[in-house]
Amino acid sequence: MEEFYKLSIKEKLKGLKESAFSSLELTESYLQRIKKVDKKINSFITVLEDKAIESARESDKRYKEGSALPLDGIPIAHKDIFCTEGILTTCGSKMLSNFVSPYSSTVVKNFSANGSVILGKTNMDEFAMGSSNETSYFGAVNNPWKRNYVPGGSSGGSAACVSAGLASGATATDTGGSIRQPAALCGLTGIKPTYGRVSRYGMIAFASSLDQGGVLTKSAEDAAYMLKAMSGHDPRDSTSLNVDVPDFVDEINEDIKGLRIGLPKQFFSMNLPNYVEKSIDESIKIFEKLGAQVEDVDLPHIDLSLPIYYVIAPAECSANLSRYDGVKFGYRCEDPNNLDDLYMRTREEGFGAEVKRRILIGTYALSAGYYDAYYLKAQKCRRLVADDFSKAFKSVDFILSPTAPDTSFSLGDKTSDPVEMYKQDIFTIPANLAGLPGISFPCGEHQGLPLGVQLVADNLNESKLLRMAHYFQLNTDWHEAWPEIE
Ligand code: GLN
């Protein structure tokens, strides 16, 4: 069937269970669509045709034997930041352009243990640093809604592939907004869970205290299926939370009446384009109609978020990326004169400009004499932002804001001005600083480009976030639109 890709995960599971179609048919139709469409989008770095067909056959066997797993036969894609055993894992960088991982990340293992089929690995900003997918060594990704526009970043490949109907859903990571901002720019639902909900084992590190894996899907319901499969305690990740994973799918239908939404004064006094404001006002009205209560909240330190992030994230990245030295794995420069030359030329040639900028900033911020003035100070301010949220969550269940300051922008539009690019994450970064879960879902469009609204909740309240997005989606159809890419 040509239009398989339009089915929800729930519908696909039903069809597979009732033998209306097989996973092989489903997987082959996705592979064909990837062949046809991805030339125009560039959302995949690696397509795993043979492996996908092999696992689809295994899924079909399990359905026949009556031993099907929760996501059996559902074709998905993984961001190329998740290590996959025996498969190229590049993190969007020349540095890892030849790296075949000897092991799989917990996230990848969890999905496989749930029976899902891996179609391939998706394009991304180099080491997840960026907001437009333009820092990838494997080339920019086009937004399926308008092809000379960016899909957002750093999970731009995951977002573009799901938005174009090239996978049922895709894994992604969010250090400062890289799930939610591309979700907004591509018209998808994207959830960043609470820090520690999803294991970081085998998820290539950018800024360890901020990085968190999550998913990009068409709907909140699809996201619930995927989040359920990927979450859980992992003894291999010391920051993984040892808490039960709720049944996100079952809980999605619970009522949202009486839930309280906070509108932070600081975000609503900004000068945003009128179509962004309008889409947010309309979203608030929909939630009010559904029985939610809305009030203003104060997050007095929220304005510090961007500068705090751009000290902490580079500091942590400079430490994490020191392992790429041309000795142990990955890219190595040719004919080094000596060990120093090997280190220096490997890093000079293997890293792109944005990654180098962050390593320089981070190394500076961590150096003796500057550590207290920058890194320590940023950590103290980070606590103030987290405390603002804790206070706000005493009176409300959610903080609502736009996800991004505007719709997508043209390729090349912001590449010469890093600070303009950094501002893309002004609404998303605070949740990472505080470790809180956040979700973005489609709430409008402007000139053919999607707009997203974001909700942030208190720790471990992913279920509530999915429920809010689900009810919103039962009453709107923004999430049902498909771009015309043929
Ligand atoms: N755009 C932000 C950055 O460049 C966030 C990236 C992310 O969440 N991985 O750092």
Side-chain angles (χ1 to χ4, degrees):
M1 185 166 83
E2 245 298 282
E3 308 257 289
F4 267 139
Y5 71 91
K6 291 194 175 166
L7 301 178
S8 68
I9 291 185
K10 190 180 186 173
E11 290 165 338
K12 286 182 190 126
L13 286 170
K14 186 165 180 276
L16 288 167
K17 207 162 151 197
E18 294 171 352
S19 306
F21 44 82
S22 66
S23 174
L24 187 62
E25 286 172 280
L26 196 58
T27 303
E28 278 178 340
S29 91
Y30 271 112
L31 289 168
Q32 268 168 25
R33 193 167 162 80
I34 293 171
K35 263 198 200 127
K36 196 164 106 194
V37 172
D38 205 43
K39 297 192 275 283
K40 303 173 188 166
I41 310 281
N42 196 28
S43 66
F44 281 91
I45 292 174
T46 306
V47 178
L48 297 163
E49 198 166 339
D50 296 344
K51 277 190 201 291
I53 287 177
E54 196 186 307
S55 29
R57 288 211 165 98
E58 285 165 16
S59 287
D60 287 334
K61 219 166 105 201
R62 284 192 292 269
Y63 275 106
K64 275 207 189 91
E65 289 165 354
S67 59
L69 301 160
L71 278 186
D72 228 331
I74 302 293
I76 60 157
H78 286 303
K79 183 173 179 179
D80 212 12
I81 198 168
F82 289 102
C83 287
T84 33
E85 187 182 341
I87 294 166
L88 192 66
T89 301
T90 70
C91 217
S93 181
K94 180 176 178 183
M95 193 57 102
L96 291 176
S97 54
N98 61 0
F99 176 64
V100 175
S101 176
Y103 72 106
S104 283
S105 60
T106 300
V107 161
V108 167
K109 278 196 189 150
N110 286 353
F111 273 108
S112 301
N114 274 275
S116 53
V117 171
I118 310 175
L119 294 167
K121 307 285 300 286
T122 60
N123 205 338
M124 55 178 285
D125 276 305
E126 185 177 11
F127 286 102
M129 298 173 201
S131 299
S132 65
N133 216 112
E134 292 168 290
T135 71
S136 169
Y137 175 63
F138 299 89
V141 173
N142 294 304
N143 190 316
W145 291 92
K146 268 196 195 175
R147 277 196 268 128
N148 47 346
Y149 281 68
V150 305
S154 64
S155 313
S158 288
C161 94
V162 177
S163 156
L166 308 185
S168 303
T171 55
T173 60
D174 192 310
T175 304
S178 285
I179 294 177
R180 292 160 287 158
Q181 183 256 12
L185 271 46
C186 288
L188 297 176
T189 305
I191 182 159
K192 173 201 106 68
T194 310
Y195 183 79
R197 174 68 93 189
V198 167
S199 169
R200 290 186 297 109
Y201 179 75
M203 187 178 108
I204 296 172
F206 161 13
S208 311
S209 77
L210 300 158
D211 298 343
Q212 185 57 200
V215 288
L216 282 157
T217 51
K218 283 292 283 181
S219 69
E221 190 189 60
D222 283 358
Y225 277 100
M226 292 199 44
L227 193 61
K228 187 175 157 188
M230 82 198 291
S231 301
H233 177 240
D234 181 6
R236 287 191 158 119
D237 170 3
S238 62
T239 58
S240 163
L241 294 172
N242 196 352
V243 291
D244 288 342
V245 178
D247 191 328
F248 299 122
V249 179
D250 271 2
E251 292 183 8
I252 207 164
N253 289 310
E254 284 172 27
D255 205 4
I256 64 164
K257 274 207 187 70
L259 292 178
R260 296 152 306 169
I261 297 175
L263 310 177
K265 288 194 249 187
Q266 288 75 6
F267 285 166
F268 284 81
S269 55
M270 284 165 68
N271 231 347
L272 295 171
N274 59 0
Y275 47 87
V276 173
E277 285 182 355
K278 198 168 148 246
S279 72
I280 295 299
D281 288 347
E282 282 167 7
S283 308
I284 295 170
K285 281 194 196 116
I286 291 171
F287 280 122
E288 281 179 322
K289 256 211 265 164
L290 293 171
Q293 288 163 23
V294 178
E295 59 187 78
D296 288 339
V297 290
D298 195 12
L299 300 172
H301 301 96
I302 203 88
D303 295 349
L304 300 173
S305 300
L306 212 58
I308 297 170
Y309 176 86
Y310 278 101
V311 173
I312 294 176
E316 293 185 11
C317 108
S318 76
N320 276 326
L321 271 58
S322 66
R323 72 192 65 168
Y324 306 106
D325 56 7
V327 176
K328 300 179 280 291
F329 51 82
Y331 176 76
R332 177 183 294 174
C333 71
E334 275 181 27
D335 304 323
N337 296 326
N338 52 44
L339 192 59
D340 278 347
D341 188 42
L342 166 79
Y343 290 151
M344 288 195 289
R345 259 198 311 120
T346 295
R347 289 169 70 80
E348 184 191 322
E349 294 165 18
F351 289 136
E354 183 60 28
V355 172
K356 285 181 193 159
R357 174 166 25 242
R358 309 257 181 136
I359 293 175
L360 286 173
I361 296 170
T363 308
Y364 180 83
L366 288 178
S367 56
Y370 293 112
Y371 181 94
D372 287 1
Y374 295 109
Y375 188 69
L376 200 63
K377 184 75 142 219
Q379 288 289 21
K380 288 180 180 167
C381 294
R382 178 180 187 175
R383 168 50 66 90
L384 296 176
V385 172
D387 287 349
D388 281 359
F389 276 110
S390 306
K391 268 187 218 137
F393 287 133
K394 290 207 169 92
S395 57
V396 296
D397 299 283
F398 308 100
I399 304 289
L400 183 146
S401 70
T403 308
D406 206 333
T407 55
S408 171
F409 45 91
S410 330
L411 287 157
D413 204 27
K414 297 190 198 295
T415 37
S416 58
D417 186 346
V419 176
E420 266 310 300
M421 192 70 94
Y422 297 168
K423 283 189 192 157
Q424 275 297 303
D425 294 317
I426 197 146
F427 298 118
T428 49
I429 282 175
N432 299 79
L433 295 179
L436 300 167
I439 194 167
S440 172
F441 45 97
C443 68
E445 64 91 33
H446 177 68
Q447 295 181 344
L449 289 166
L451 287 161
V453 57
Q454 173 183 243
L455 288 172
V456 172
D458 205 354
N459 278 319
L460 298 172
N461 280 305
E462 292 84 2
S463 225
K464 261 206 244 175
L465 288 175
L466 289 165
R467 229 196 295 162
M468 288 289 274
H470 180 59
Y471 267 83
F472 188 88
Q473 292 177 344
L474 290 175
N475 290 277
T476 54
D477 49 16
W478 299 113
H479 64 293
E480 279 168 1
W482 289 94
E484 277 171 39
I485 25 179
E486 262 80 358

